[in-house]
Every structure is written in C-alpha cells, then in structure tokens.
Amino acid sequence: MNTDRPAAEEERLKALRRERFNNTEGERRYQQLVAQRAQRRQQLMSQSNVHKGTLSEAAKIVGTCTLMCPEFEREERQLKNNIAQPEMFPGTRQADPARTVKTFHRSAAGNEEPLPEDLRTPETLQRTLDHLVNVVIAADQELRSCHGFVRDRTRSIRQDFTIQNIRDSTTVAVCERIARFHIVSLHILCGNKDFAEHQDMEQLRNTLKTLIELYDDHRKARVVCANEAEFYAYYIVSHLRDPDAKRVAERLPRHIFTAPIVQQALKLHMLSESSTAPRRDTGTGWAAQNLGVQFFRTVAAPATPLLLACLAEYYFPSIRRSALRSMCDAFPYQEGKEYPVTDFAEMLAFDSVDEVQEFCAQFNVGLRGSGVKLGERVKGRIVFQDPAQKPRRTSPNLRVVGAKFHMPPMH
C-alpha cells in the first residue's frame, strides 16, 4: 500500500468515492420521488373531483417550492449527468442543492404537468435571480462561459411566473432585470462564435412583450411602475422597422409617450424607417430618403442611454447596408476621388479601416488606397450587390456604444 500518496490525490479519490455512493443513494431517492409524485398527482386530481383530464383543468396551480431547483428535478438531472458546472460542488460532478437552478422545460406532448412542488414561489424566483446575478454573473462578468446557463435559467424563472399566472410587482421587477441582462448580452457577446444573437433578441422581445402586458394591468389598477417609460423605449427599439411598434407608442399615456427616453427611441425608429427602402415614385431615389448617418449620430448622442444604444447596435449592419447602397446610388465614381475611408468610418460608426473594408467587400464595394469606391459602375450598373447572407456584427462597437460605458449618467 502506498502511504506516500499526495494529500491532493487522496482528496480527489475521496470525492470520487463520495460521488459513487451518492449516485447509488440518489437513484434510490429518485425512485422514491417518482412513486410519491404519482400518488400526489392522483391526490390533487381526486381533491378537485377531476378523474380524467389534466391538473390545469382541476385548479389553479400555486407553487410551493422554496428551493432554486425542485428536489425531483435535481435528482433526475444528477442521474442523467445533466448538472451544469455552476451548480456543482467544487472538484466534483455532484449537484450542490444551494447552487442548482431549475431548467427551462419545453411544452411537448407526453410531458408531465408540473405539481405545486415543482413551481417556485415568487420570493424564491426573486432569490433565484439574485443568485444568478450576484453569484454566477459576478464570477464571469464577460458572460463568456455563463451566458447560456443564465439565459436558460432566467427563461425558467419567467416560465414559473407564467404557469402560476403571477402578475404582481415582483413579476415586473424580475422581468425588468432579465430584459436588461439580454440587452447587455447583445453588446458584450457580439461576434462571439458561441453566441446566437437572434436567440437573445427573441427572448428579449418575449420578455418585453410580457412587461407591456404587465404595465397595462398595473395601469388599469392605478399602480405606478417606475420604469415603464424605460422599457417601452426598449420595446420600440427592439422592433425597429416594425410599424406595430409605433402603434403601441401611439396608445401610450401622455406622460409615458413624452418621456425623453421614449422620444429618443421613436427618433431612432423614424430614422431606421427612413433608411430602409427607396422611394422611386418621388424621383428622389435612395439617397434623399436615407438618414442612416443621422441614425448613428443619434445613437452616439448623450440623450441616448447606454442600454438603448446597446439595443440599437443590433441593427447596425442593416442600417449601414442601406446607407452604403444610398451613397453608391448618389455618388458617381471617379477614379482618384474615392470617398475618404476615415470619414466613411466616422459617419457609419465603424471602429477601424479594416472593419470598413470587410463590410464593404461583402457588397462588392472595394477600397482604393485610403478611399471607398462609392458608386463604381460596370457597363452603367453599380457594382453594389447584396450578399447571399445578411452581414452580421463581428465585434462590440466601441466608437459610439463602447464610449458610453465611460460617460457620466444623464440627469
């Protein structure tokens, strides 16, 4: 027997033995919980005099779980080796009940309906979000390793509120924090190969839609929501070039509609619409209608808060595309009189000449020396051509959005 084994190795082996023992105990406990759940489900159905059908038909479900993750789910995920790194005891693959957080569950045929003990109370949901922000995100502020985990778990938090139909001030506060998480993610993780920005935008829009409904409910009950104007502004900018966003704004109470942040959002919405499509029927063509340059100036203005700018950044590629097309139509190309690339970068908020070159190349527009060959034509037709795939952002914008991280707040 080797008595000279290092202490660290001894601890590792002890941890592995604990895991094997715990897995055996965990399987027994899981089977107990499966049997208990079947009895509990039947009991609830009987109490409500529903012998066929579903629990949702029996009665409104009120969550009773005070853990961040219900015990049944934790044991089930442990057996399936489906515990995420932020949920484990350090140095093991064992779930830590104090760190494990309930996952999002997709609705599908054959899936069990949740029991009351599967659904967390409002206080527990708020505490769960506190844990995600103050522990998980605090340990990875660049969101590179924790983003997918937090996105799934915040989605699960919203799901628990929805299933229980909880629409109080706690729901509002939690959804507001989740929306801010998605907006910041859109900026910080821009260009990250593992970041699917369209998925975050989808979850943000869903969260904002919920908030709009909650604000309407609270307003009817004469309850004031202090951040209502802020999140209506996010709703408007998350739906740039969508006419429905304007219709939502038109129905707002005057004090919300006239709030500076909402007016700034509406200005960005108007500028994005003006930079979208040609008005050939007016004879002015693309150039006269394109206000893309003004869009970027508005984003850069002190009146546009940081998170509103982070959200507007999502649309930079499409706004730049329209501006480039506009300028190619407006400026007939003359060799030796190319448009200065530094001026072009400043107008459309590019961070570098390399970024300008990479972007223009996607549309078959080249650079010559230190200038952009705007309006270049072959046999009378401009060489501008849309790529097969829409251009995407490749890195967080520093010129106008990143600069706001160091600006003093507006008063």
Side-chain angles (χ1 to χ4, degrees), residues 338-376:
E338 291 79 14
Y339 198 90
V341 68
T342 52
D343 292 349
F344 187 87
E346 183 178 359
M347 282 196 311
L348 301 185
F350 287 102
D351 288 328
S352 67
V353 172
D354 288 344
E355 191 180 6
V356 171
Q357 187 170 15
E358 180 183 343
F359 183 83
C360 289
Q362 296 180 76
F363 297 92
N364 203 33
V365 175
L367 272 65
R368 182 175 183 269
S370 59
V372 183
K373 297 196 289 185
L374 296 175
E376 185 178 18

Side-chain angles (χ1 to χ4, degrees), residues 60-63 120-123 125 158 160-172 210 214:
K60 177 187 174 183
I61 298 180
V62 177
R120 294 161 290 183
T121 65
E123 296 78 11
L125 291 167
R158 291 193 291 117
D160 273 17
F161 276 118
T162 300
I163 292 173
Q164 299 177 74
N165 195 30
I166 301 172
R167 305 175 68 81
D168 60 11
S169 58
T170 300
T171 316
V172 172
T210 297
L214 290 169

Side-chain angles (χ1 to χ4, degrees), residues 41-42 48 103 107 135 155 169 218 226 231 265 292 350 356 394:
R41 190 177 298 279
Q42 186 59 46
S48 301
T103 61
S107 300
V135 177
R155 194 175 179 188
S169 58
H218 281 66
F231 286 88
F350 287 102
V356 171
T394 56

Side-chain angles (χ1 to χ4, degrees), residues 41 62-63 84 203 240 282 285:
R41 190 177 298 279
V62 177
Q203 292 309 312
L240 289 188
T282 65

Side-chain angles (χ1 to χ4, degrees), residues 52 108 154 181 243 272 386:
K52 294 182 179 180
T154 54
F181 160 74
S272 72
D386 281 311

Side-chain angles (χ1 to χ4, degrees), residues 292-356:
V293 175
Q294 187 61 37
F295 176 89
F296 290 104
R297 290 175 181 167
T298 302
V299 174
T304 301
L306 171 62
L307 292 187
L308 202 64
C310 289
L311 193 46
E313 182 186 5
Y314 180 81
Y315 297 92
F316 280 12
S318 62
I319 301 293
R320 286 169 174 161
R321 178 259 174 217
S322 297
L324 178 61
R325 174 61 195 261
S326 173
M327 288 185 276
C328 283
D329 270 343
F331 303 145
Y333 175 66
Q334 289 182 279
E335 190 172 342
K337 293 186 178 181
E338 291 79 14
Y339 198 90
V341 68
T342 52
D343 292 349
F344 187 87
E346 183 178 359
M347 282 196 311
L348 301 185
F350 287 102
D351 288 328
S352 67
V353 172
D354 288 344
E355 191 180 6
V356 171

Side-chain angles (χ1 to χ4, degrees), residues 53 75 246 290 382:
E75 295 292 348
K246 286 197 303 183
N290 195 293
I382 62 171

Side-chain angles (χ1 to χ4, degrees), residues 99-367:
R99 299 183 186 185
T100 311
V101 183
K102 182 180 177 181
T103 61
F104 173 77
H105 294 264
R106 296 184 181 278
S107 300
N111 285 358
E112 279 190 342
E113 285 188 283
L115 297 170
E117 45 266 50
D118 296 326
L119 298 170
R120 294 161 290 183
T121 65
E123 296 78 11
T124 305
L125 291 167
Q126 195 163 35
R127 177 164 51 83
T128 302
L129 183 58
D130 288 341
H131 169 79
L132 293 173
V133 173
N134 300 330
V135 177
V136 179
I137 293 177
D140 179 25
Q141 295 187 22
E142 292 185 353
L143 304 178
R144 293 188 182 276
S145 60
C146 76
H147 173 266
F149 175 82
V150 175
R151 181 178 64 191
D152 177 84
R153 279 19 177 213
T154 54
R155 194 175 179 188
S156 171
I157 289 172
R158 291 193 291 117
Q159 185 178 48
D160 273 17
F161 276 118
T162 300
I163 292 173
Q164 299 177 74
N165 195 30
I166 301 172
R167 305 175 68 81
D168 60 11
S169 58
T170 300
T171 316
V172 172
V174 166
C175 286
E176 287 177 346
R177 293 174 73 191
I178 292 173
R180 291 191 184 109
F181 160 74
H182 287 301
I183 294 172
V184 171
S185 297
L186 287 170
H187 171 73
I188 292 179
L189 294 174
C190 172
N192 187 304
K193 63 181 178 63
D194 297 321
F195 178 59
E197 62 177 21
H198 65 283
Q199 292 181 5
D200 258 62
M201 178 57 85
E202 179 185 9
Q203 292 309 312
L204 171 62
R205 287 171 175 158
N206 290 340
T207 307
L208 292 172
K209 182 175 182 291
T210 297
L211 278 170
I212 297 306
E213 294 169 354
L214 290 169
Y215 291 146
D216 285 346
D217 289 349
H218 281 66
R219 200 181 306 119
K220 290 172 184 175
R222 299 186 182 279
V223 176
V224 175
C225 295
N227 301 318
E228 188 172 355
E230 175 190 352
F231 286 88
Y232 265 109
Y234 299 152
Y235 179 87
I236 292 166
V237 174
S238 69
H239 292 79
L240 289 188
R241 298 178 166 178
D242 181 349
D244 284 341
K246 286 197 303 183
R247 285 192 280 272
V248 168
E250 288 168 357
R251 294 195 296 267
L252 288 174
R254 181 173 178 79
H255 72 282
I256 300 294
F257 181 82
T258 58
I261 191 171
V262 172
Q263 288 299 302
Q264 197 72 355
L266 287 169
K267 184 176 182 181
L268 289 169
H269 196 282
M270 180 273 293
L271 292 170
S272 72
E273 282 191 321
S274 299
S275 65
T276 302
R279 303 286 182 84
R280 299 192 186 282
D281 56 319
T282 65
T284 57
W286 289 77
Q289 297 300 326
N290 195 293
L291 296 175
V293 175
Q294 187 61 37
F295 176 89
F296 290 104
R297 290 175 181 167
T298 302
V299 174
T304 301
L306 171 62
L307 292 187
L308 202 64
C310 289
L311 193 46
E313 182 186 5
Y314 180 81
Y315 297 92
F316 280 12
S318 62
I319 301 293
R320 286 169 174 161
R321 178 259 174 217
S322 297
L324 178 61
R325 174 61 195 261
S326 173
M327 288 185 276
C328 283
D329 270 343
F331 303 145
Y333 175 66
Q334 289 182 279
E335 190 172 342
K337 293 186 178 181
E338 291 79 14
Y339 198 90
V341 68
T342 52
D343 292 349
F344 187 87
E346 183 178 359
M347 282 196 311
L348 301 185
F350 287 102
D351 288 328
S352 67
V353 172
D354 288 344
E355 191 180 6
V356 171
Q357 187 170 15
E358 180 183 343
F359 183 83
C360 289
Q362 296 180 76
F363 297 92
N364 203 33
V365 175
L367 272 65

